[in-house]
Amino acid sequence: MALRIARDRTSNRPWGDVDKSAIWQRLKRALQEQEEGAAAAVREMYAVVKAEVNADLTQADCWGPHHEIQGDTLVLNRNGVIAAAQALAGARAEPNLTPEQRRTAARHLLRHYRELELEPPESLREAAGQGAEGETVRLSAMVSGEIRVEDVPLAPWVDLEALKAGDPDPLEVVVEIPAGRSKRGWVYTPQALQQIVGEVMSQGLPGFLGHQKPEDVDHEFPEPVTHWVGALWRDGKAYIRGVIDPAADKLKRWLRAKAVRTVSIFGVPTLRQVGGETHVVDYKPLSIDWTPLGRAGMPTAVVAMGEMDAITAPAVQPAEPKEGGNGMGVQDLLAELRKHRPSVAQIAGEMGWKAEDVVRELGVKLEDVAPVLAGEQWSRLQAAEKAVGEMARLVGMEGADPDRVVKRVQQALEAEQAARQAQREQLLEKVVGEMVPLQAARPLVRRLVEPRLDENADEAAIRKAVGEMLQQDDVRQALEAGFAGWVPPNVPGPDGGGRPPRNGLVVRRVRI
């Protein structure tokens, strides 16, 4: 058996309905039985694990669960991520989390906020260590042809011949990043992009196939497929020059076939709020990585490719704009959008739309949106509303405020319970009066027998309980000793017969 982590689906189940104790027991069993994927599942389940992940790990060592386990698969729970972030915001004084553990937990949760395309709270960014600057973000790229590889100067530290040594098929590329607004709606300033240029020229950057996980950056170094070796700032754009590693034959083929033509700069921004907009005023790049098409970020472009220091990709001249409306009318823009098939998140981010604006503008109703966003929770709310409506009908308060209906139902239940109690008291009084001739002994008999009775006991059940109690020797002896003139009634015994009178006393028979 093996535990796996789902990357292709999430859950909207209310976090309060998730059994965290059962999850821990499943993970603990997986560690003890050394199931495949157990350690990775524990690290993914919790925002921070404070001890070595092995069979000795305790639940106290794990903080911030935010996944469910469905079968043998971990599934990210949207509400669990939000709950963990809220808990972390209130955990500044938490004695069991060190400052470093809080930063680790915040960075872990920030990754999930990005996966869910949620805007993280400011408290989470602050907990990551650098306030609004603590989140690693990505800037993105497409093949074009506006500049030659040789136009971008090499950094002084580069030994280009050594990088290409032994490569029978060398390939270089140039990536262009313009200043401006990203798909997320952030404004990347020239000085932020110049920091990327400076980083490449001072020490270079690696390039991977896809990004590292933010929590792995400090200790992991995947094998690079590209070495970024030069940079240039010109006319409001950053141009980054890279050499494809000799071992990356597949990447070379993909680039030449234009099957891959997008890169993403992975790093940590410095943010400032300017006139209600988020401006990126500084940027600490970590890597420039090849990513699938259509990922959100800054628009970047692979603008040149060179083989053996020669340009093989001809320059592409920009198309002549159409007249009027910046070259396009609304229908033209819509046609262009359909051609490129952008995601809803990309369009909304670029236009600066908020979710509530989109919902309001489209005129959708709550009953249309709620089943999509939280189907299970919406179903429960609907069922609760139906139940309250039924209660209102039963008590003659249809259309009344739900709180008034609930109060009325509570009053009715209390009245019904009081009536049952009064009826039970009357039956008990009647039966004891008939079965216990000595009036002085009746209160004691009632106190002795009442705990034996079910709250719904009828007259037959009460008679049976009184009879069985009076048949007990210790009870009978106590009554004979405590009450002068006590006459034991002739009550049915366990075998159905009566118990004969003792001490020569006269027996008063009572019909039961």
Side-chain angles (χ1 to χ4, degrees), residues 242-507:
V243 178
I244 308 302
D245 191 83
D249 292 334
K250 290 182 179 179
L251 177 58
K252 293 177 185 177
R253 184 170 71 251
W254 297 337
L255 282 166
R256 290 180 177 127
K258 299 182 180 179
V260 171
R261 52 188 187 276
T262 306
V263 297
S264 182
I265 296 89
F266 181 48
V268 181
T270 298
L271 307 179
R272 294 289 180 269
Q273 293 298 315
V274 180
E277 294 184 321
T278 301
H279 284 218
V280 182
V281 297
D282 196 1
Y283 199 89
K284 172 64 177 175
L286 301 174
S287 61
I288 302 176
D289 306 319
W290 298 98
T291 58
L293 299 174
R295 296 293 170 88
M298 272 295 291
T300 65
V302 178
V303 295
M305 289 192 295
E307 302 178 46
M308 299 298 290
D309 295 333
I311 301 299
T312 60
V316 177
Q317 298 299 323
E320 291 294 328
K322 299 179 182 179
E323 294 183 1
N326 290 328
M328 282 191 179
V330 173
Q331 293 303 321
D332 295 324
L333 287 171
L334 292 175
E336 194 67 20
L337 280 173
R338 293 189 189 98
K339 185 188 303 181
H340 292 285
R341 296 187 178 182
S343 68
V344 173
Q346 286 176 315
I347 296 174
E350 187 64 32
M351 298 301 294
W353 294 337
K354 295 181 179 179
E356 55 266 30
D357 298 331
V358 176
V359 171
R360 191 179 300 111
E361 190 68 24
L362 292 176
V364 297
K365 300 177 181 178
L366 177 64
E367 53 266 31
D368 298 328
V369 176
V372 177
L373 297 180
E376 188 175 339
Q377 186 178 6
W378 175 250
S379 297
R380 286 202 302 272
L381 286 173
Q382 292 289 91
E385 183 180 12
K386 182 178 179 181
V388 171
E390 184 64 19
M391 286 191 293
R393 186 185 65 79
L394 292 173
V395 297
M397 297 181 64
E398 291 176 280
D401 182 80
D403 289 339
R404 290 182 56 208
V405 174
V406 171
K407 185 175 181 180
R408 180 66 172 274
V409 171
Q410 287 175 336
Q411 291 172 344
L413 290 175
E414 290 169 0
E416 182 182 354
Q417 185 175 6
R420 284 201 305 268
Q421 181 65 23
Q423 184 181 19
R424 183 171 177 268
E425 291 288 334
Q426 291 174 357
L427 279 175
L428 184 59
E429 184 74 22
K430 174 178 179 291
V431 171
V432 171
E434 292 177 355
M435 297 183 68
V436 180
L438 189 61
Q439 186 172 1
R442 290 172 187 170
L444 176 59
V445 173
R446 283 193 55 172
R447 283 197 297 272
L448 289 173
V449 79
E450 194 161 9
R452 300 166 175 263
L453 299 176
D454 182 83
E455 67 175 17
N456 296 318
D458 58 11
E459 183 173 346
I462 295 174
R463 287 187 182 280
K464 183 175 183 295
V466 172
E468 289 176 350
M469 187 270 296
L470 292 176
Q471 287 291 322
Q472 296 179 13
D473 289 339
D474 55 344
V475 174
R476 188 182 65 254
Q477 291 168 7
L479 290 171
E480 291 174 353
F483 297 95
W486 165 256
V487 178
N490 185 24
V491 295
D495 59 356
R499 180 183 292 274
R502 300 181 59 190
N503 301 326
L505 298 177
V506 178
V507 175

Side-chain angles (χ1 to χ4, degrees), residues 38-87:
V42 169
R43 295 189 187 97
E44 184 69 8
M45 171 62 68
Y46 298 99
V48 63
V49 181
K50 298 178 284 186
E52 185 177 352
V53 181
N54 55 34
D56 297 325
L57 188 71
T58 67
Q59 191 170 8
D61 296 323
C62 304
W63 188 93
H66 48 278
H67 290 254
E68 302 173 27
I69 294 184
Q70 299 177 3
D72 292 314
T73 302
L74 263 68
V75 177
L76 183 64
N77 183 291
R78 177 191 180 99
N79 298 309
V81 173
I82 295 172
Q86 292 171 342

Side-chain angles (χ1 to χ4, degrees), residues 48 50 63 88 91-102 105:
V48 63
K50 298 178 284 186
W63 188 93
L88 189 65
R92 285 185 196 279
E94 169 60 61
N96 295 325
L97 286 181
T98 66
E100 182 56 36
Q101 288 167 350
R102 291 189 74 250

